[in-house]
Amino acid sequence: MTVRIGVIGTGMIGRDHTRRIAQVLAGGTIVALSDYSPEAAEKVRDELAPDAKCYASGEELIAASDVDAVLVCSTGSTHEAYVLAAIQAGKPCFCEKPLATTAEGARGIVDAEVAHGSRLVQVGFMRRYDAGYRMLKKVVDSEIGTPLIVHAAHRNPAVPEQYVTPMAIHDTMIHEIDVLRWLLDDDYVSAQVVFPKASRHAHSKVADPQIVLLETAKGVRIDVEIFVNSRYGYDIQCQVVGEEGLANLPEPMAVTRRQNASVATPILTDWKDRFVDSYDVELQAFIEAAAEGTATGPSTWDGYVAAITSDACVTAQGADGAVVPITLPERPGLYR
Amino acid sequence: MTVRIGVIGTGMIGRDHTRRIAQVLAGGTIVALSDYSPEAAEKVRDELAPDAKCYASGEELIAASDVDAVLVCSTGSTHEAYVLAAIQAGKPCFCEKPLATTAEGARGIVDAEVAHGSRLVQVGFMRRYDAGYRMLKKVVDSEIGTPLIVHAAHRNPAVPEQYVTPMAIHDTMIHEIDVLRWLLDDDYVSAQVVFPKASRHAHSKVADPQIVLLETAKGVRIDVEIFVNSRYGYDIQCQVVGEEGLANLPEPMAVTRRQNASVATPILTDWKDRFVDSYDVELQAFIEAAAEGTATGPSTWDGYVAAITSDACVTAQGADGAVVPITLPERPGLYR
Amino acid sequence: MTVRIGVIGTGMIGRDHTRRIAQVLAGGTIVALSDYSPEAAEKVRDELAPDAKCYASGEELIAASDVDAVLVCSTGSTHEAYVLAAIQAGKPCFCEKPLATTAEGARGIVDAEVAHGSRLVQVGFMRRYDAGYRMLKKVVDSEIGTPLIVHAAHRNPAVPEQYVTPMAIHDTMIHEIDVLRWLLDDDYVSAQVVFPKASRHAHSKVADPQIVLLETAKGVRIDVEIFVNSRYGYDIQCQVVGEEGLANLPEPMAVTRRQNASVATPILTDWKDRFVDSYDVELQAFIEAAAEGTATGPSTWDGYVAAITSDACVTAQGADGAVVPITLPERPGLYR
Amino acid sequence: MTVRIGVIGTGMIGRDHTRRIAQVLAGGTIVALSDYSPEAAEKVRDELAPDAKCYASGEELIAASDVDAVLVCSTGSTHEAYVLAAIQAGKPCFCEKPLATTAEGARGIVDAEVAHGSRLVQVGFMRRYDAGYRMLKKVVDSEIGTPLIVHAAHRNPAVPEQYVTPMAIHDTMIHEIDVLRWLLDDDYVSAQVVFPKASRHAHSKVADPQIVLLETAKGVRIDVEIFVNSRYGYDIQCQVVGEEGLANLPEPMAVTRRQNASVATPILTDWKDRFVDSYDVELQAFIEAAAEGTATGPSTWDGYVAAITSDACVTAQGADGAVVPITLPERPGLYR
């Protein structure tokens, strides 16, 4: 069975997912497209999915009888409504992050899915599908004993003027928030943020770098350095300290040179290149689950917890170094 | 357009390629299967391609009107005939190595394809599609100046009793023979083989390790260590020394541990894991070219040159350290 | 001029320093030895310095007219009195850490040296003489811009039963406290300690691992992981994040193996091996300055500041995650 | 006992050894200096050894009754006569390479020392004292099984105009010739040289790079890449392939940076820095043996064998790729 897929939002990421399904992955076909700019949807159709139908609205696309599953790639503020509509329609739905712009919104989706009675939604936390994180998880689960500490870093070369301090959580650290929970199979209980001297390369509206300290229910202590004006590259580091040893997230594969008085291996500078393969893997997983009428991987619950944790981290940014507790509601049986 | 593909030979590699086309890659579908053991073909059909038809012979499969393109994955000695039949039928054909068991046989295929007038055949030299070699080629082409020397190693943990000295060329170094020609955009002019003291882990019928020294038309000197009882792993090394610097083939991505008084990163032990991603890429390239009625990548000419070079290396194995010249016929225009 | 040196305390470290001066370094000679166990002093004399005289007390040794300079290697609680006596005698004095067992005691030595009017004391913070830290300092000072963050770790394989939580500061992190001040040319303004889940390998009297967070006057944020039951080795890590790039403390030189399905480089397990060369360098520096009647390198002021900082860190261990301020008195002109 | 040492030749290396003995090492003192330029000797005396006496000739220095041991650091062509004179005088003698400018000359020294009846001479092959090679030897001797292959490289950034092809052996590879014999505890039986395309950075009088292939008595095959216009640095590589695993010569300790889209570790560019510590160690060993009236480490036999091997390699450079046998006379009992 080929899963007939509709894509809502044909901007950069929606277009790219359309290309994946049309040209790279197996088992899915693009039958429907929609964008708030009809021309944009038509352009993607002409280029990548000539047989797809363009819809005037995401709601119509979701309702279309030949659409088996939906990709929500539109602007963040519209996600909540589209995902709720997809659940209402009983259709598997892949939603790019964020699931909703507020924790309450995410909670509403959780409730809707629980009411539906089975999983329908996969949230676009693609790092869980990255080969490096998967290798790391295997080692953490089996070789280094109980995890005690995680040292992580998320560094970008630079950010635009409109990037402000809370975005370091919502746009940047959100990935660590999700992937470390998954890596450790654990939940956060508190957050603290400390600010080193700011880099002279940081704009005035962003405190950069910053260090977020998280504590988990199992007692793991996590430090995440966020440094979005690091200049040197897009560099994602993760080291897990366990009772029996340490394990590091693999570096991306690269050619080492001996040249100019140096042994050097390139570091990526564009975040789009860093986890590019994981997008293929997450969407293939979505297609396979959608063929069965369900969803796997990062759930609405994960999206909801990420939203609660992000909110606590942003509160901690303003708390002058104080520790901010993170309290989660009870986890519904659907997500255990 | 979906390319309708028939697979001849449903052993390990044929089954795996069937799975790729059916479940992983885009643009192709398996419509036909054939194996000298009909039960084997049926088993793969039932498991992976329920709609495919099983044929009693490869020839019938090639002739079938709904087969657009052919994968030759049967035992090596049968390749030549099947590829010739595919060319005869004007159908794109992916042929696992070797193209033919003799250089003469390969020459015949070259002639047939030249007579046909356009490329139809892609030979299964998958390393050209490996992300690591591709990164290396990019650096060699643009950053380290004119290549002068290549140091390479091909190490296996162990080989079975039936592995004899010439197989170090035909089965093992054949990959370096092809990929280094491609990497350097060059041809070989001589080969020499020297034998270090044999490892105590080598069986009596295989001189192991051995070092093959190649010289190219452009004057590059290549040393390839072949060590098929290295014990420690399946390890492929390649370093290019250029006028302006050196470049190394990337190591496969892996988790580094700090444990047991050691910083350690695993080395693969199963050759099937080392270039596993490149099989996807080479077959995707085949499907895309086949959709256009042609073939790209490693050509029959490349297969023919690899056969000539292999023969020279085997001669050099028996030449007591003497240098054996390698002379190539003129390259047909089709392959320029 | 050969500096005539007396050694007080001929236990492990005193014996080793005697050997250095007698057999390895230039410019000094051992003329006097003393230990609370006279037999111990005589044994070291017989073995390493046959021409030295053994004294019944450290005070007599310091007073001896043919002793130009003194090494204080006795048990920690005796350091303060011996160093004061050496200053009183106007003799250059090398004192193993700690300078004194209390910050007040160290303050008294500072005052005595200031009263003397010139430097006489070098404290045994040997990491400042380590080739790796020196390389790192050079890079930090010139290549990576203003330091913003330091990530450090101090891991031991295991500690004995008598090692209790405050020793993680006084015996272990004391080295980071001194060397990071020197590396950054900065002072600490606050300390915080957080405790991850304890390792099952930690004894009941030591909370292990722990993370000490320091803030400096210039705004640098430092996290030091102390993990003294790490099992895997004695491993000292230090990464400085600067405005223009990052720099890492070099790993000790070691042979990389490719063996047993792994690329592995050994990690030391005995702390005595990690900075072994730096002991030579620090004592050579002491001899050279002593020949001029003075002292260089880690000063009594550095020892005093280390004591104040350690006290704050120990307070922070008991402060349930609260931030403990570190206030330093004004630095005397002698140490600017 | 302090060994009273005379230094013949106070150029760069003689001056540096004088400094070592005067200021860094234990157990020796400089009492005599000599140079063909008396002013040069006097300048070194004034600077580093004010109590030393300057002699008009090396012969007088050797004969001086207060000189216990001799360092021969003069120009290469004078070594043979000075070493013979030292043996004649029964005085321990450290001789910088080469021991003699011809194999016959070296043979004469071997004969003289054998006639003397005990070792007096240490040849300045300092790599045997390098910490990295010592670590490597330990691993080769105990962890990786019987050595089968050695891959080595000796790369310089550039060489001056007067550097001609045979110097690649006599001045450059001479170090590998000695240290690999020592590392493997083996002797060479043949040499072959092949020339890759020359680098555009090579002067017209030097074929660069070149690859020297050596075979040992135990059957080890060695390839040494010599590339003296490599541009990128002074880089010494050595990998030993054993029956049970591989071991690599450690890289010199260095700070790794993450900067400018690259993880980079510096490579030295000045050969003088690469083995700088080993000069201290070799001279300390000389002083200690000289105090006993003898010599250890690289012997006159080693110097003689290095000369024979070098001659064979130079012959092989002109032999158009042919294999040149290396035959050694019987080893005198003194050197077993």
Side-chain angles (χ1 to χ4, degrees):
Chain A
M1 174 211 159
T2 297
V3 179
R4 296 168 301 176
I5 297 170
V7 178
I8 302 173
T10 58
M12 191 184 71
I13 184 72
R15 189 195 170 284
D16 208 34
H17 285 338
T18 300
R19 179 193 58 78
R20 275 190 182 88
I21 290 166
Q23 299 180 351
V24 180
L25 305 176
T29 184
I30 299 294
V31 297
L33 295 162
S34 168
D35 197 87
Y36 77 95
S37 150
E39 296 75 26
E42 282 157 21
K43 186 151 173 275
V44 169
R45 179 197 60 197
D46 295 348
E47 214 182 331
L48 296 167
D51 300 335
K53 181 170 170 193
C54 288
Y55 289 84
S57 74
E59 285 77 4
E60 287 169 75
L61 179 149
I62 291 167
S65 63
D66 70 338
V67 168
D68 299 321
V70 177
L71 262 56
V72 177
C73 305
S74 48
T75 191
S77 57
T78 66
H79 290 187
E80 185 179 339
Y82 290 137
V83 174
L84 285 170
I87 293 173
Q88 204 63 32
K91 296 188 177 178
C93 171
F94 175 90
C95 179
E96 275 302 329
K97 74 177 180 63
L99 182 58
T101 53
T102 64
E104 277 167 336
R107 173 81 233 188
I109 298 174
V110 165
D111 292 341
E113 195 177 40
V114 167
H116 174 77
S118 69
R119 283 196 56 186
L120 283 175
V121 180
Q122 177 181 340
V123 180
F125 287 129
M126 78 293 177
R127 283 204 199 169
R128 297 191 186 196
Y129 295 94
D130 171 62
Y133 273 109
R134 294 197 154 198
M135 287 179 184
L136 178 59
K137 183 159 177 57
K138 217 166 158 182
V139 174
V140 168
D141 285 349
S142 62
E143 292 187 39
I144 60 164
T146 304
L148 305 174
I149 300 172
V150 175
H151 302 297
H154 187 137
R155 304 190 188 109
N156 291 55
V159 289
E161 290 278 343
Q162 60 269 34
Y163 187 105
V164 294
T165 297
M167 292 172 74
I169 305 301
H170 286 308
D171 282 37
T172 300
M173 191 170 130
I174 187 72
H175 290 289
E176 272 74 20
I177 287 174
D178 181 67
V179 85
L180 296 180
R181 267 184 79 233
W182 166 82
L183 183 69
L184 300 170
D185 192 19
D186 205 346
D187 269 310
Y188 306 115
V189 298
S190 77
Q192 181 189 2
V193 179
V194 297
F195 293 100
K197 178 182 166 60
S199 168
R200 68 186 181 97
H201 300 298
H203 308 301
S204 62
K205 301 253 178 67
V206 60
D208 185 48
Q210 49 190 281
I211 300 172
V212 181
L213 304 164
L214 295 167
E215 188 181 0
T216 75
K218 293 180 185 167
V220 178
R221 290 283 182 167
I222 298 168
D223 46 272
V224 182
E225 176 199 323
I226 306 169
F227 190 8
V228 296
N229 291 287
S230 76
R231 316 297 287 178
Y232 77 87
Y234 184 71
D235 194 12
I236 303 299
Q237 297 288 322
C238 183
Q239 181 180 61
V240 182
V241 179
E243 277 181 335
E244 318 296 338
L246 278 69
N248 275 59
L249 182 68
E251 302 274 347
M253 211 166 70
V255 171
T256 298
R257 286 94 158 153
R258 300 181 89 83
Q259 201 165 17
N260 302 329
S262 173
V263 191
T265 308
I267 293 175
L268 296 171
T269 51
D270 188 340
W271 62 267
K272 289 191 291 293
D273 296 333
R274 179 65 178 85
F275 296 105
V276 64
D277 292 339
S278 65
Y279 294 106
D280 288 354
V281 185
E282 70 170 0
L283 275 192
Q284 189 69 63
F286 175 70
I287 294 170
E288 282 165 27
E292 309 291 325
T294 186
T296 59
S299 67
T300 52
W301 178 255
D302 296 322
Y304 176 44
V305 171
I308 293 172
T309 306
S310 294
D311 287 351
C313 290
V314 171
T315 302
Q317 285 181 329
D320 199 22
V323 175
V324 173
I326 299 174
T327 314
L328 299 181
E330 205 188 344
R331 186 194 291 239
L334 183 57
Y335 305 107
R336 268 178 211 143
Chain B
M1 173 211 160
T2 296
V3 180
R4 296 168 301 174
I5 296 169
V7 179
I8 302 173
T10 58
M12 191 183 71
I13 185 73
R15 187 193 172 288
D16 208 35
H17 284 339
T18 300
R19 178 191 61 75
R20 273 189 184 89
I21 291 167
Q23 300 181 349
V24 179
L25 305 176
T29 184
I30 299 293
V31 298
L33 295 162
S34 167
D35 197 88
Y36 78 95
S37 151
E39 295 76 25
E42 284 157 17
K43 187 150 171 276
V44 168
R45 179 198 58 197
D46 295 349
E47 215 183 329
L48 296 167
D51 300 336
K53 180 171 171 192
C54 289
Y55 289 83
S57 74
E59 286 78 4
E60 287 170 76
L61 179 149
I62 292 166
S65 63
D66 69 338
V67 168
D68 299 322
V70 178
L71 262 56
V72 178
C73 305
S74 49
T75 192
S77 58
T78 67
H79 290 185
E80 184 179 339
Y82 291 136
V83 175
L84 286 170
I87 293 171
Q88 204 64 31
K91 296 186 178 181
C93 171
F94 175 90
C95 179
E96 275 302 329
K97 75 173 178 68
L99 182 59
T101 54
T102 64
E104 278 168 335
R107 174 81 234 187
I109 297 172
V110 165
D111 292 342
E113 195 177 41
V114 167
H116 175 78
S118 69
R119 282 197 57 187
L120 284 175
V121 181
Q122 176 182 340
V123 181
F125 288 128
M126 79 291 179
R127 283 203 199 170
R128 297 190 185 195
Y129 295 94
D130 171 64
Y133 274 109
R134 294 196 155 200
M135 287 178 184
L136 178 59
K137 183 160 176 57
K138 216 166 158 181
V139 174
V140 168
D141 285 350
S142 62
E143 293 187 38
I144 60 165
T146 303
L148 306 174
I149 301 173
V150 176
H151 302 296
H154 188 138
R155 304 188 189 111
N156 291 54
V159 288
E161 290 278 343
Q162 60 269 31
Y163 188 105
V164 294
T165 296
M167 292 171 72
I169 305 303
H170 287 307
D171 282 38
T172 300
M173 192 171 130
I174 187 72
H175 290 291
E176 271 76 19
I177 287 174
D178 181 69
V179 85
L180 296 180
R181 268 183 78 234
W182 166 81
L183 183 68
L184 300 170
D185 192 18
D186 205 346
D187 269 310
Y188 306 115
V189 298
S190 78
Q192 182 189 1
V193 180
V194 298
F195 294 100
K197 177 182 167 62
S199 168
R200 67 187 182 96
H201 300 298
H203 308 302
S204 63
K205 302 252 178 67
V206 60
D208 184 50
Q210 49 191 281
I211 300 172
V212 181
L213 304 164
L214 295 167
E215 189 181 0
T216 75
K218 294 180 185 166
V220 179
R221 291 284 182 166
I222 299 168
D223 46 273
V224 182
E225 177 200 323
I226 306 169
F227 190 8
V228 294
N229 292 287
S230 75
R231 316 295 286 178
Y232 76 88
Y234 183 72
D235 195 12
I236 302 300
Q237 297 288 321
C238 183
Q239 180 179 61
V240 181
V241 180
E243 278 182 335
E244 317 297 339
L246 279 68
N248 274 58
L249 182 68
E251 302 274 346
M253 209 168 71
V255 172
T256 297
R257 286 93 159 155
R258 300 180 90 84
Q259 200 166 20
N260 302 328
S262 173
V263 190
T265 308
I267 294 175
L268 296 171
T269 52
D270 188 339
W271 63 266
K272 289 190 290 292
D273 298 333
R274 179 64 178 85
F275 295 105
V276 65
D277 292 340
S278 65
Y279 294 106
D280 288 355
V281 185
E282 72 170 357
L283 275 192
Q284 188 69 61
F286 175 71
I287 293 169
E288 283 167 24
E292 310 290 326
T294 186
T296 59
S299 69
T300 52
W301 178 255
D302 296 321
Y304 176 45
V305 171
I308 291 171
T309 306
S310 295
D311 287 353
C313 290
V314 171
T315 301
Q317 286 182 328
D320 200 22
V323 175
V324 172
I326 299 174
T327 314
L328 299 182
E330 205 188 343
R331 186 194 292 238
L334 183 56
Y335 307 107
R336 265 176 215 146
Chain C
M1 173 210 161
T2 297
V3 180
R4 297 168 301 175
I5 296 169
V7 178
I8 301 174
T10 58
M12 190 184 74
I13 184 73
R15 189 194 171 286
D16 208 36
H17 284 340
T18 301
R19 179 191 59 76
R20 272 189 185 88
I21 290 167
Q23 300 181 351
V24 180
L25 304 176
T29 183
I30 299 293
V31 297
L33 295 162
S34 167
D35 197 88
Y36 78 95
S37 150
E39 296 76 24
E42 284 157 19
K43 188 153 171 273
V44 168
R45 179 198 59 197
D46 295 349
E47 214 182 331
L48 295 168
D51 300 335
K53 181 170 169 193
C54 288
Y55 289 83
S57 74
E59 284 78 6
E60 288 171 75
L61 180 148
I62 291 166
S65 63
D66 69 337
V67 168
D68 299 323
V70 178
L71 262 57
V72 178
C73 306
S74 49
T75 191
S77 57
T78 67
H79 290 186
E80 184 179 340
Y82 290 137
V83 174
L84 285 170
I87 293 171
Q88 204 64 31
K91 296 188 178 180
C93 172
F94 175 90
C95 179
E96 275 301 330
K97 74 175 179 69
L99 182 58
T101 54
T102 63
E104 279 167 335
R107 174 81 234 190
I109 298 173
V110 165
D111 292 342
E113 196 177 39
V114 167
H116 174 78
S118 68
R119 281 197 57 186
L120 284 175
V121 181
Q122 176 182 340
V123 181
F125 288 128
M126 79 290 177
R127 282 203 199 170
R128 297 191 186 196
Y129 295 95
D130 171 63
Y133 273 109
R134 294 196 156 200
M135 287 177 183
L136 178 59
K137 182 160 177 57
K138 218 168 157 180
V139 175
V140 168
D141 285 350
S142 62
E143 293 186 39
I144 60 164
T146 303
L148 305 175
I149 301 173
V150 176
H151 302 296
H154 187 137
R155 304 189 189 111
N156 290 54
V159 288
E161 290 277 344
Q162 59 268 32
Y163 187 106
V164 294
T165 297
M167 293 172 71
I169 305 302
H170 287 307
D171 282 38
T172 300
M173 192 169 129
I174 186 71
H175 290 290
E176 271 76 19
I177 287 174
D178 181 68
V179 86
L180 296 181
R181 266 185 79 235
W182 166 82
L183 182 69
L184 299 171
D185 192 19
D186 205 346
D187 270 311
Y188 305 116
V189 298
S190 77
Q192 181 189 3
V193 179
V194 298
F195 294 101
K197 177 182 166 62
S199 168
R200 67 187 182 97
H201 300 299
H203 308 302
S204 62
K205 302 251 178 67
V206 60
D208 185 48
Q210 48 191 280
I211 300 172
V212 182
L213 303 165
L214 295 167
E215 188 182 1
T216 76
K218 293 180 186 165
V220 179
R221 292 284 182 165
I222 299 169
D223 47 272
V224 182
E225 177 200 323
I226 306 169
F227 190 8
V228 295
N229 291 286
S230 77
R231 317 295 287 179
Y232 76 87
Y234 183 71
D235 195 12
I236 303 299
Q237 297 289 321
C238 182
Q239 180 178 62
V240 182
V241 180
E243 276 182 337
E244 317 297 338
L246 278 69
N248 275 58
L249 182 68
E251 303 273 347
M253 209 167 71
V255 172
T256 298
R257 287 93 159 155
R258 300 181 89 84
Q259 201 166 17
N260 302 328
S262 173
V263 191
T265 308
I267 294 175
L268 296 171
T269 52
D270 188 339
W271 63 267
K272 289 191 291 293
D273 298 333
R274 179 64 178 85
F275 295 105
V276 66
D277 292 339
S278 65
Y279 294 106
D280 289 355
V281 186
E282 72 169 358
L283 274 192
Q284 189 68 61
F286 175 71
I287 293 169
E288 283 165 26
E292 309 291 327
T294 187
T296 58
S299 68
T300 52
W301 178 256
D302 296 321
Y304 175 44
V305 171
I308 292 171
T309 306
S310 294
D311 287 352
C313 289
V314 172
T315 301
Q317 285 182 328
D320 200 22
V323 175
V324 173
I326 299 175
T327 314
L328 299 182
E330 204 188 345
R331 187 193 290 238
L334 183 55
Y335 306 108
R336 264 173 215 149
Chain D
M1 171 212 161
T2 297
V3 180
R4 297 168 302 176
I5 296 170
V7 178
I8 303 173
T10 58
M12 190 185 71
I13 184 74
R15 189 193 171 287
D16 208 35
H17 285 339
T18 300
R19 179 192 58 77
R20 274 188 183 89
I21 290 166
Q23 299 180 349
V24 179
L25 305 176
T29 184
I30 299 293
V31 297
L33 295 162
S34 167
D35 196 87
Y36 79 94
S37 151
E39 297 75 25
E42 283 156 20
K43 185 151 173 274
V44 169
R45 179 198 58 197
D46 296 347
E47 214 182 331
L48 295 168
D51 299 335
K53 182 171 168 191
C54 287
Y55 289 83
S57 75
E59 285 77 5
E60 287 170 78
L61 179 149
I62 291 167
S65 63
D66 71 336
V67 168
D68 299 322
V70 178
L71 262 55
V72 178
C73 306
S74 48
T75 190
S77 58
T78 67
H79 290 186
E80 184 179 339
Y82 289 137
V83 175
L84 285 170
I87 293 172
Q88 204 63 32
K91 295 187 178 179
C93 172
F94 175 90
C95 180
E96 274 303 330
K97 74 177 180 65
L99 182 59
T101 53
T102 65
E104 277 167 337
R107 174 80 233 189
I109 298 173
V110 165
D111 292 342
E113 195 177 40
V114 167
H116 174 77
S118 68
R119 284 196 56 186
L120 283 175
V121 181
Q122 177 182 340
V123 181
F125 287 129
M126 79 292 178
R127 282 204 199 169
R128 296 190 186 197
Y129 295 94
D130 171 63
Y133 274 109
R134 294 197 154 198
M135 286 178 184
L136 178 60
K137 183 159 177 56
K138 217 167 159 182
V139 175
V140 168
D141 285 349
S142 62
E143 292 186 39
I144 60 164
T146 303
L148 305 174
I149 301 172
V150 176
H151 302 297
H154 187 137
R155 304 191 188 110
N156 291 53
V159 288
E161 290 278 344
Q162 59 268 32
Y163 188 105
V164 294
T165 296
M167 292 173 73
I169 306 301
H170 287 306
D171 282 36
T172 301
M173 192 169 130
I174 186 71
H175 290 291
E176 271 75 22
I177 287 173
D178 180 69
V179 84
L180 297 180
R181 267 184 78 234
W182 166 82
L183 183 69
L184 300 171
D185 192 19
D186 204 345
D187 269 310
Y188 306 115
V189 298
S190 78
Q192 181 188 3
V193 179
V194 298
F195 294 100
K197 177 182 167 60
S199 167
R200 67 188 182 98
H201 300 298
H203 308 302
S204 62
K205 301 254 178 68
V206 60
D208 185 50
Q210 50 191 283
I211 299 172
V212 182
L213 304 164
L214 295 167
E215 188 182 2
T216 77
K218 294 179 184 167
V220 178
R221 291 285 182 165
I222 298 168
D223 46 272
V224 182
E225 176 199 323
I226 306 169
F227 190 8
V228 296
N229 292 287
S230 75
R231 316 297 286 178
Y232 76 87
Y234 183 71
D235 195 12
I236 303 299
Q237 296 288 322
C238 183
Q239 180 180 62
V240 182
V241 180
E243 277 181 335
E244 318 297 338
L246 278 69
N248 274 58
L249 182 67
E251 302 274 347
M253 209 166 72
V255 171
T256 297
R257 285 96 158 151
R258 300 179 89 83
Q259 202 165 18
N260 301 330
S262 173
V263 191
T265 308
I267 294 175
L268 296 171
T269 50
D270 188 339
W271 63 266
K272 289 190 291 292
D273 298 331
R274 180 63 178 85
F275 296 105
V276 65
D277 292 339
S278 65
Y279 293 106
D280 288 354
V281 185
E282 72 169 0
L283 274 192
Q284 189 68 62
F286 175 70
I287 293 169
E288 283 166 25
E292 309 291 326
T294 186
T296 58
S299 69
T300 52
W301 178 255
D302 296 322
Y304 176 42
V305 171
I308 293 171
T309 306
S310 294
D311 287 352
C313 289
V314 172
T315 303
Q317 285 182 328
D320 199 23
V323 176
V324 172
I326 300 173
T327 314
L328 298 181
E330 204 187 344
R331 186 194 291 239
L334 183 55
Y335 306 107
R336 266 174 212 145

